[in-house]
Amino acid sequence: MSSTEERERLSSGPPVRRWRPVCRWILVAGSLILGLGIAASEAAMDDPKAELTVLRESPDGDCTVRYTDPLSGQERVGPFRCDPDRDPVLGDWSIGWVVSYGPWKGDLYNSDWQGTPADDVNDGLVLWGGLLALGALLVGGVRVLYRVGDRRALARPEPAPEPPAPRVSLVKGDPEEPPLDLSYAAVAAVAERRAPEETDPELLPPPLGGETPWWGDRTLLRSSQVPETLLFLAGAWSSERCGGGCASS
């Protein structure tokens, strides 16, 4: 997928537009349910007490009691879950509580919340409301982070395209220049232009295979100093002979 298609996909963002309202409504619903559960649990703390007169009691703890409803003031007779281990000194006396809120208002229950589903419903509202709200917050937070990353990706400039690699030419010089002329005439002209300049013939060494020997060349003979050396040797020899002859005479 090219960078342009990726940017179009990120900018359109249908999952973001679809998930945002869903997470929002789940968060609202979870908060409402959690609030109802907390409010009901707080209201249960204010449930009034009722003194009970046990009319009948079974060994398993099921009782029939008579009591005066603290909410309406009417005398009622109904089932109640007595404590099987209660002290016999209490006789036919017991105590219970009456639900003061919601659809379970007027239900009689004991210290273990037996006799009404109010406590179970309150716990369920708190649990499920908290889970819904927490889940919506987590999903919403992930979506926000994902969207921030998409915006940063959109704001990041595209890298400049790399220039094409230069073509390597085996001919030196500008590729736009005309090709070299490799004909014989052109090569000969270049060779003549690059030929060394002529030097003084006297400064050139004599050819090795010539007819004239080296002592026949005055320049080489003068450079070798052979005549001066011969003259010196001849003078020394004649002086020695002259001195010996003179001594004998």
Side-chain angles (χ1 to χ4, degrees):
M1 182 181 294
S2 62
S3 59
T4 304
E5 295 177 355
E6 183 68 16
R7 284 175 173 271
E8 292 178 355
R9 183 186 70 80
L10 295 177
S11 59
S12 58
V16 176
R17 290 197 296 269
R18 181 170 62 251
W19 272 95
R20 283 182 60 191
V22 172
C23 292
R24 184 183 303 159
W25 287 114
I26 292 177
L27 177 60
V28 171
S31 300
L32 290 176
I33 295 174
L34 178 61
L36 289 175
I38 294 175
S41 299
E42 290 293 330
M45 303 296 293
D46 297 330
D47 286 346
K49 294 181 181 180
E51 293 186 359
L52 310 177
T53 300
V54 180
L55 302 178
R56 289 188 298 274
E57 181 178 2
S58 62
D60 58 358
D62 292 336
C63 301
T64 301
V65 296
R66 182 175 63 245
Y67 64 98
T68 300
D69 191 342
L71 300 176
S72 62
Q74 297 178 357
E75 188 173 315
R76 299 179 181 276
V77 176
F80 184 74
R81 182 67 179 177
C82 296
D83 184 6
D85 299 329
R86 65 192 181 97
D87 196 337
V89 177
L90 298 177
D92 59 355
W93 181 88
S94 185
I95 190 172
W97 289 263
V98 179
V99 179
S100 59
Y101 57 91
W104 310 279
K105 186 176 182 179
D107 287 353
L108 182 66
Y109 63 91
N110 60 8
S111 59
D112 296 328
W113 285 93
Q114 295 176 335
T116 182
D119 185 63
D120 295 336
V121 173
N122 295 344
D123 293 341
L125 290 176
V126 173
L127 176 62
W128 288 107
L131 290 177
L132 287 176
L134 181 60
L137 288 175
L138 291 177
V139 175
V142 171
R143 297 303 302 176
V144 168
L145 294 177
Y146 181 74
R147 192 171 185 183
V148 170
D150 291 347
R151 289 180 178 177
R152 290 181 178 176
L154 290 175
R156 188 180 302 115
E158 291 186 0
E162 296 182 359
R167 293 178 296 178
V168 179
S169 176
L170 299 179
V171 180
K172 295 183 179 180
D174 191 355
E176 300 297 333
E177 296 180 357
L180 294 177
D181 187 5
L182 301 179
S183 63
Y184 177 79
V187 173
V190 173
E192 290 180 359
R193 288 196 301 267
R194 295 184 179 180
E197 298 180 357
E198 295 183 358
T199 58
D200 188 0
E202 295 183 357
L203 300 179
L204 296 175
L208 297 178
E211 297 179 357
T212 304
W214 64 272
W215 58 83
D217 192 322
R218 287 178 293 178
T219 302
L220 294 178
L221 185 60
R222 191 184 312 118
S223 300
S224 64
Q225 296 183 356
V226 172
E228 290 80 358
T229 304
L230 293 176
L231 290 175
F232 175 78
L233 293 175
W237 181 75
S238 60
S239 298
E240 183 180 355
R241 290 201 54 171
C242 181
C246 292
S248 61
S249 59

mmCIF file of all heavy atoms in Angstrom, residues 30-68:
data_model
loop_
_atom_site.group_PDB
_atom_site.id
_atom_site.type_symbol
_atom_site.label_atom_id
_atom_site.label_comp_id
_atom_site.label_asym_id
_atom_site.label_seq_id
_atom_site.Cartn_x
_atom_site.Cartn_y
_atom_site.Cartn_z
ATOM 1 N N GLY A 30 -23.141 2.606 31.714
ATOM 2 C CA GLY A 30 -22.447 2.037 32.861
ATOM 3 C C GLY A 30 -22.427 2.969 34.052
ATOM 4 O O GLY A 30 -22.573 2.528 35.202
ATOM 5 N N SER A 31 -22.262 4.270 33.801
ATOM 6 C CA SER A 31 -22.268 5.227 34.913
ATOM 7 C C SER A 31 -23.636 5.300 35.583
ATOM 8 O O SER A 31 -23.727 5.388 36.817
ATOM 9 C CB SER A 31 -21.861 6.612 34.383
ATOM 10 O OG SER A 31 -20.566 6.574 33.813
ATOM 11 N N LEU A 32 -24.707 5.260 34.773
ATOM 12 C CA LEU A 32 -26.055 5.279 35.351
ATOM 13 C C LEU A 32 -26.315 4.036 36.196
ATOM 14 O O LEU A 32 -26.858 4.125 37.313
ATOM 15 C CB LEU A 32 -27.103 5.394 34.248
ATOM 16 C CG LEU A 32 -27.173 6.743 33.518
ATOM 17 C CD1 LEU A 32 -28.183 6.683 32.379
ATOM 18 C CD2 LEU A 32 -27.527 7.864 34.492
ATOM 19 N N ILE A 33 -25.950 2.876 35.669
ATOM 20 C CA ILE A 33 -26.164 1.635 36.419
ATOM 21 C C ILE A 33 -25.345 1.641 37.703
ATOM 22 O O ILE A 33 -25.831 1.250 38.788
ATOM 23 C CB ILE A 33 -25.804 0.430 35.534
ATOM 24 C CG1 ILE A 33 -26.770 0.339 34.354
ATOM 25 C CG2 ILE A 33 -25.853 -0.854 36.345
ATOM 26 C CD1 ILE A 33 -26.398 -0.729 33.348
ATOM 27 N N LEU A 34 -24.097 2.078 37.595
ATOM 28 C CA LEU A 34 -23.259 2.158 38.794
ATOM 29 C C LEU A 34 -23.838 3.131 39.808
ATOM 30 O O LEU A 34 -23.844 2.858 41.022
ATOM 31 C CB LEU A 34 -21.846 2.586 38.395
ATOM 32 C CG LEU A 34 -20.826 2.767 39.521
ATOM 33 C CD1 LEU A 34 -20.613 1.460 40.263
ATOM 34 C CD2 LEU A 34 -19.507 3.291 38.973
ATOM 35 N N GLY A 35 -24.351 4.260 39.323
ATOM 36 C CA GLY A 35 -24.962 5.231 40.238
ATOM 37 C C GLY A 35 -26.197 4.682 40.936
ATOM 38 O O GLY A 35 -26.407 4.917 42.138
ATOM 39 N N LEU A 36 -27.029 3.934 40.194
ATOM 40 C CA LEU A 36 -28.215 3.331 40.818
ATOM 41 C C LEU A 36 -27.818 2.320 41.888
ATOM 42 O O LEU A 36 -28.428 2.272 42.974
ATOM 43 C CB LEU A 36 -29.075 2.645 39.742
ATOM 44 C CG LEU A 36 -29.822 3.568 38.776
ATOM 45 C CD1 LEU A 36 -30.532 2.752 37.708
ATOM 46 C CD2 LEU A 36 -30.822 4.440 39.537
ATOM 47 N N GLY A 37 -26.790 1.510 41.580
ATOM 48 C CA GLY A 37 -26.363 0.530 42.576
ATOM 49 C C GLY A 37 -25.823 1.186 43.837
ATOM 50 O O GLY A 37 -26.109 0.735 44.960
ATOM 51 N N ILE A 38 -25.039 2.248 43.659
ATOM 52 C CA ILE A 38 -24.492 2.939 44.836
ATOM 53 C C ILE A 38 -25.602 3.612 45.630
ATOM 54 O O ILE A 38 -25.620 3.567 46.881
ATOM 55 C CB ILE A 38 -23.436 3.957 44.386
ATOM 56 C CG1 ILE A 38 -22.234 3.236 43.779
ATOM 57 C CG2 ILE A 38 -22.992 4.816 45.556
ATOM 58 C CD1 ILE A 38 -21.188 4.163 43.205
ATOM 59 N N ALA A 39 -26.534 4.240 44.925
ATOM 60 C CA ALA A 39 -27.649 4.905 45.622
ATOM 61 C C ALA A 39 -28.495 3.898 46.386
ATOM 62 O O ALA A 39 -28.916 4.163 47.539
ATOM 63 C CB ALA A 39 -28.499 5.668 44.609
ATOM 64 N N ALA A 40 -28.772 2.735 45.796
ATOM 65 C CA ALA A 40 -29.575 1.724 46.496
ATOM 66 C C ALA A 40 -28.827 1.174 47.706
ATOM 67 O O ALA A 40 -29.427 0.929 48.768
ATOM 68 C CB ALA A 40 -29.923 0.603 45.522
ATOM 69 N N SER A 41 -27.510 0.982 47.557
ATOM 70 C CA SER A 41 -26.737 0.486 48.697
ATOM 71 C C SER A 41 -26.716 1.502 49.839
ATOM 72 O O SER A 41 -26.766 1.131 51.021
ATOM 73 C CB SER A 41 -25.302 0.166 48.251
ATOM 74 O OG SER A 41 -25.288 -0.832 47.255
ATOM 75 N N GLU A 42 -26.628 2.802 49.482
ATOM 76 C CA GLU A 42 -26.682 3.827 50.520
ATOM 77 C C GLU A 42 -28.056 3.872 51.180
ATOM 78 O O GLU A 42 -28.172 4.074 52.409
ATOM 79 C CB GLU A 42 -26.342 5.186 49.912
ATOM 80 C CG GLU A 42 -24.883 5.328 49.501
ATOM 81 C CD GLU A 42 -23.949 5.321 50.693
ATOM 82 O OE1 GLU A 42 -24.375 5.769 51.777
ATOM 83 O OE2 GLU A 42 -22.788 4.871 50.546
ATOM 84 N N ALA A 43 -29.119 3.681 50.380
ATOM 85 C CA ALA A 43 -30.476 3.696 50.957
ATOM 86 C C ALA A 43 -30.699 2.512 51.879
ATOM 87 O O ALA A 43 -31.461 2.606 52.863
ATOM 88 C CB ALA A 43 -31.512 3.702 49.840
ATOM 89 N N ALA A 44 -30.039 1.370 51.575
ATOM 90 C CA ALA A 44 -30.215 0.191 52.430
ATOM 91 C C ALA A 44 -29.656 0.414 53.826
ATOM 92 O O ALA A 44 -30.081 -0.261 54.783
ATOM 93 C CB ALA A 44 -29.544 -1.014 51.786
ATOM 94 N N MET A 45 -28.713 1.358 53.960
ATOM 95 C CA MET A 45 -28.173 1.631 55.280
ATOM 96 C C MET A 45 -29.220 2.267 56.201
ATOM 97 O O MET A 45 -29.061 2.232 57.431
ATOM 98 C CB MET A 45 -26.961 2.562 55.153
ATOM 99 C CG MET A 45 -25.853 2.014 54.254
ATOM 100 S SD MET A 45 -25.111 0.499 54.887
ATOM 101 C CE MET A 45 -24.305 1.123 56.355
ATOM 102 N N ASP A 46 -30.263 2.851 55.604
ATOM 103 C CA ASP A 46 -31.299 3.524 56.402
ATOM 104 C C ASP A 46 -32.577 2.712 56.521
ATOM 105 O O ASP A 46 -33.641 3.248 56.902
ATOM 106 C CB ASP A 46 -31.629 4.879 55.761
ATOM 107 C CG ASP A 46 -30.428 5.815 55.754
ATOM 108 O OD1 ASP A 46 -29.592 5.697 56.665
ATOM 109 O OD2 ASP A 46 -30.317 6.647 54.818
ATOM 110 N N ASP A 47 -32.521 1.407 56.160
ATOM 111 C CA ASP A 47 -33.729 0.580 56.305
ATOM 112 C C ASP A 47 -34.132 0.500 57.787
ATOM 113 O O ASP A 47 -33.292 0.247 58.663
ATOM 114 C CB ASP A 47 -33.475 -0.833 55.774
ATOM 115 C CG ASP A 47 -33.429 -0.868 54.251
ATOM 116 O OD1 ASP A 47 -33.853 0.124 53.624
ATOM 117 O OD2 ASP A 47 -32.953 -1.879 53.694
ATOM 118 N N PRO A 48 -35.441 0.698 58.092
ATOM 119 C CA PRO A 48 -35.879 0.677 59.509
ATOM 120 C C PRO A 48 -35.947 -0.748 60.059
ATOM 121 O O PRO A 48 -36.125 -1.717 59.320
ATOM 122 C CB PRO A 48 -37.257 1.313 59.442
ATOM 123 C CG PRO A 48 -37.742 1.039 58.062
ATOM 124 C CD PRO A 48 -36.540 1.038 57.181
ATOM 125 N N LYS A 49 -35.802 -0.846 61.375
ATOM 126 C CA LYS A 49 -35.924 -2.120 62.059
ATOM 127 C C LYS A 49 -37.375 -2.380 62.430
ATOM 128 O O LYS A 49 -38.189 -1.467 62.559
ATOM 129 C CB LYS A 49 -35.075 -2.145 63.330
ATOM 130 C CG LYS A 49 -33.576 -2.082 63.075
ATOM 131 C CD LYS A 49 -32.815 -2.133 64.391
ATOM 132 C CE LYS A 49 -31.304 -2.057 64.167
ATOM 133 N NZ LYS A 49 -30.566 -2.095 65.446
ATOM 134 N N ALA A 50 -37.645 -3.683 62.588
ATOM 135 C CA ALA A 50 -38.995 -4.082 63.011
ATOM 136 C C ALA A 50 -38.879 -5.203 64.047
ATOM 137 O O ALA A 50 -38.133 -6.167 63.831
ATOM 138 C CB ALA A 50 -39.819 -4.546 61.815
ATOM 139 N N GLU A 51 -39.602 -5.029 65.168
ATOM 140 C CA GLU A 51 -39.617 -6.090 66.184
ATOM 141 C C GLU A 51 -40.657 -7.138 65.772
ATOM 142 O O GLU A 51 -41.789 -6.813 65.402
ATOM 143 C CB GLU A 51 -39.974 -5.514 67.547
ATOM 144 C CG GLU A 51 -38.901 -4.580 68.086
ATOM 145 C CD GLU A 51 -39.196 -4.124 69.503
ATOM 146 O OE1 GLU A 51 -40.261 -4.540 70.036
ATOM 147 O OE2 GLU A 51 -38.373 -3.391 70.074
ATOM 148 N N LEU A 52 -40.233 -8.393 65.847
ATOM 149 C CA LEU A 52 -41.032 -9.495 65.336
ATOM 150 C C LEU A 52 -41.520 -10.371 66.496
ATOM 151 O O LEU A 52 -40.806 -10.576 67.482
ATOM 152 C CB LEU A 52 -40.217 -10.344 64.359
ATOM 153 C CG LEU A 52 -39.466 -9.586 63.233
ATOM 154 C CD1 LEU A 52 -38.651 -10.570 62.410
ATOM 155 C CD2 LEU A 52 -40.439 -8.825 62.347
ATOM 156 N N THR A 53 -42.721 -10.920 66.321
ATOM 157 C CA THR A 53 -43.256 -11.919 67.241
ATOM 158 C C THR A 53 -43.389 -13.214 66.470
ATOM 159 O O THR A 53 -44.118 -13.291 65.457
ATOM 160 C CB THR A 53 -44.630 -11.503 67.784
ATOM 161 O OG1 THR A 53 -44.503 -10.246 68.477
ATOM 162 C CG2 THR A 53 -45.166 -12.544 68.736
ATOM 163 N N VAL A 54 -42.628 -14.224 66.885
ATOM 164 C CA VAL A 54 -42.608 -15.498 66.166
ATOM 165 C C VAL A 54 -43.877 -16.264 66.522
ATOM 166 O O VAL A 54 -44.129 -16.581 67.694
ATOM 167 C CB VAL A 54 -41.361 -16.304 66.539
ATOM 168 C CG1 VAL A 54 -41.356 -17.634 65.792
ATOM 169 C CG2 VAL A 54 -40.095 -15.518 66.239
ATOM 170 N N LEU A 55 -44.667 -16.567 65.495
ATOM 171 C CA LEU A 55 -45.897 -17.332 65.699
ATOM 172 C C LEU A 55 -45.646 -18.820 65.547
ATOM 173 O O LEU A 55 -46.151 -19.617 66.348
ATOM 174 C CB LEU A 55 -46.964 -16.875 64.703
ATOM 175 C CG LEU A 55 -47.326 -15.386 64.753
ATOM 176 C CD1 LEU A 55 -48.357 -15.058 63.686
ATOM 177 C CD2 LEU A 55 -47.844 -15.004 66.140
ATOM 178 N N ARG A 56 -44.897 -19.183 64.517
ATOM 179 C CA ARG A 56 -44.537 -20.591 64.280
ATOM 180 C C ARG A 56 -43.077 -20.646 63.833
ATOM 181 O O ARG A 56 -42.609 -19.777 63.113
ATOM 182 C CB ARG A 56 -45.430 -21.223 63.210
ATOM 183 C CG ARG A 56 -46.874 -21.460 63.677
ATOM 184 C CD ARG A 56 -47.639 -22.273 62.631
ATOM 185 N NE ARG A 56 -47.711 -21.550 61.344
ATOM 186 C CZ ARG A 56 -48.648 -20.658 61.058
ATOM 187 N NH1 ARG A 56 -49.571 -20.362 61.945
ATOM 188 N NH2 ARG A 56 -48.641 -20.039 59.878
ATOM 189 N N GLU A 57 -42.395 -21.697 64.234
ATOM 190 C CA GLU A 57 -40.985 -21.849 63.871
ATOM 191 C C GLU A 57 -40.710 -23.308 63.582
ATOM 192 O O GLU A 57 -41.076 -24.185 64.365
ATOM 193 C CB GLU A 57 -40.085 -21.363 65.014
ATOM 194 C CG GLU A 57 -38.599 -21.471 64.706
ATOM 195 C CD GLU A 57 -37.730 -20.935 65.843
ATOM 196 O OE1 GLU A 57 -38.301 -20.531 66.874
ATOM 197 O OE2 GLU A 57 -36.482 -20.962 65.702
ATOM 198 N N SER A 58 -40.080 -23.574 62.447
ATOM 199 C CA SER A 58 -39.690 -24.934 62.064
ATOM 200 C C SER A 58 -38.232 -25.170 62.443
ATOM 201 O O SER A 58 -37.466 -24.228 62.641
ATOM 202 C CB SER A 58 -39.902 -25.150 60.564
ATOM 203 O OG SER A 58 -39.087 -24.264 59.822
ATOM 204 N N PRO A 59 -37.830 -26.451 62.564
ATOM 205 C CA PRO A 59 -36.435 -26.724 62.945
ATOM 206 C C PRO A 59 -35.399 -26.175 61.967
ATOM 207 O O PRO A 59 -34.256 -25.903 62.358
ATOM 208 C CB PRO A 59 -36.382 -28.251 63.010
ATOM 209 C CG PRO A 59 -37.789 -28.673 63.236
ATOM 210 C CD PRO A 59 -38.643 -27.698 62.506
ATOM 211 N N ASP A 60 -35.770 -26.037 60.697
ATOM 212 C CA ASP A 60 -34.802 -25.556 59.715
ATOM 213 C C ASP A 60 -34.665 -24.035 59.704
ATOM 214 O O ASP A 60 -33.879 -23.483 58.947
ATOM 215 C CB ASP A 60 -35.152 -26.044 58.310
ATOM 216 C CG ASP A 60 -36.539 -25.596 57.884
ATOM 217 O OD1 ASP A 60 -37.236 -24.932 58.694
ATOM 218 O OD2 ASP A 60 -36.928 -25.889 56.737
ATOM 219 N N GLY A 61 -35.451 -23.319 60.536
ATOM 220 C CA GLY A 61 -35.323 -21.883 60.667
ATOM 221 C C GLY A 61 -36.411 -21.074 59.988
ATOM 222 O O GLY A 61 -36.446 -19.840 60.155
ATOM 223 N N ASP A 62 -37.318 -21.703 59.219
ATOM 224 C CA ASP A 62 -38.424 -20.970 58.615
ATOM 225 C C ASP A 62 -39.456 -20.636 59.683
ATOM 226 O O ASP A 62 -39.917 -21.507 60.438
ATOM 227 C CB ASP A 62 -39.065 -21.800 57.499
ATOM 228 C CG ASP A 62 -38.140 -21.967 56.306
ATOM 229 O OD1 ASP A 62 -37.247 -21.101 56.143
ATOM 230 O OD2 ASP A 62 -38.289 -22.937 55.537
ATOM 231 N N CYS A 63 -39.846 -19.357 59.720
ATOM 232 C CA CYS A 63 -40.758 -18.883 60.745
ATOM 233 C C CYS A 63 -41.911 -18.108 60.117
ATOM 234 O O CYS A 63 -41.809 -17.618 58.981
ATOM 235 C CB CYS A 63 -40.045 -17.985 61.762
ATOM 236 S SG CYS A 63 -38.672 -18.774 62.621
ATOM 237 N N THR A 64 -42.956 -17.986 60.879
ATOM 238 C CA THR A 64 -44.064 -17.089 60.547
ATOM 239 C C THR A 64 -44.138 -16.071 61.678
ATOM 240 O O THR A 64 -44.263 -16.428 62.849
ATOM 241 C CB THR A 64 -45.382 -17.842 60.422
ATOM 242 O OG1 THR A 64 -45.267 -18.835 59.393
ATOM 243 C CG2 THR A 64 -46.505 -16.883 60.073
ATOM 244 N N VAL A 65 -44.048 -14.803 61.291
ATOM 245 C CA VAL A 65 -43.943 -13.758 62.313
ATOM 246 C C VAL A 65 -45.033 -12.714 62.073
ATOM 247 O O VAL A 65 -45.601 -12.583 60.987
ATOM 248 C CB VAL A 65 -42.552 -13.098 62.255
ATOM 249 C CG1 VAL A 65 -41.465 -14.100 62.606
ATOM 250 C CG2 VAL A 65 -42.283 -12.480 60.893
ATOM 251 N N ARG A 66 -45.268 -11.994 63.168
ATOM 252 C CA ARG A 66 -46.184 -10.847 63.097
ATOM 253 C C ARG A 66 -45.404 -9.615 63.540
ATOM 254 O O ARG A 66 -44.674 -9.656 64.520
ATOM 255 C CB ARG A 66 -47.401 -11.064 64.019
ATOM 256 C CG ARG A 66 -48.398 -9.917 63.951
ATOM 257 C CD ARG A 66 -49.663 -10.191 64.763
ATOM 258 N NE ARG A 66 -49.354 -10.339 66.182
ATOM 259 C CZ ARG A 66 -49.505 -11.453 66.869
ATOM 260 N NH1 ARG A 66 -49.979 -12.554 66.281
ATOM 261 N NH2 ARG A 66 -49.213 -11.506 68.174
ATOM 262 N N TYR A 67 -45.608 -8.504 62.808
ATOM 263 C CA TYR A 67 -44.862 -7.290 63.108
ATOM 264 C C TYR A 67 -45.653 -6.095 62.621
ATOM 265 O O TYR A 67 -46.601 -6.218 61.824
ATOM 266 C CB TYR A 67 -43.488 -7.323 62.433
ATOM 267 C CG TYR A 67 -43.541 -7.328 60.915
ATOM 268 C CD1 TYR A 67 -43.368 -6.146 60.190
ATOM 269 C CD2 TYR A 67 -43.772 -8.516 60.215
ATOM 270 C CE1 TYR A 67 -43.431 -6.150 58.814
ATOM 271 C CE2 TYR A 67 -43.822 -8.509 58.841
ATOM 272 C CZ TYR A 67 -43.648 -7.340 58.121
ATOM 273 O OH TYR A 67 -43.734 -7.343 56.761
ATOM 274 N N THR A 68 -45.275 -4.971 63.101
ATOM 275 C CA THR A 68 -45.881 -3.716 62.677
ATOM 276 C C THR A 68 -44.953 -3.065 61.659
ATOM 277 O O THR A 68 -43.771 -2.804 61.945
ATOM 278 C CB THR A 68 -46.078 -2.789 63.880
ATOM 279 O OG1 THR A 68 -46.938 -3.434 64.838
ATOM 280 C CG2 THR A 68 -46.704 -1.479 63.449
#
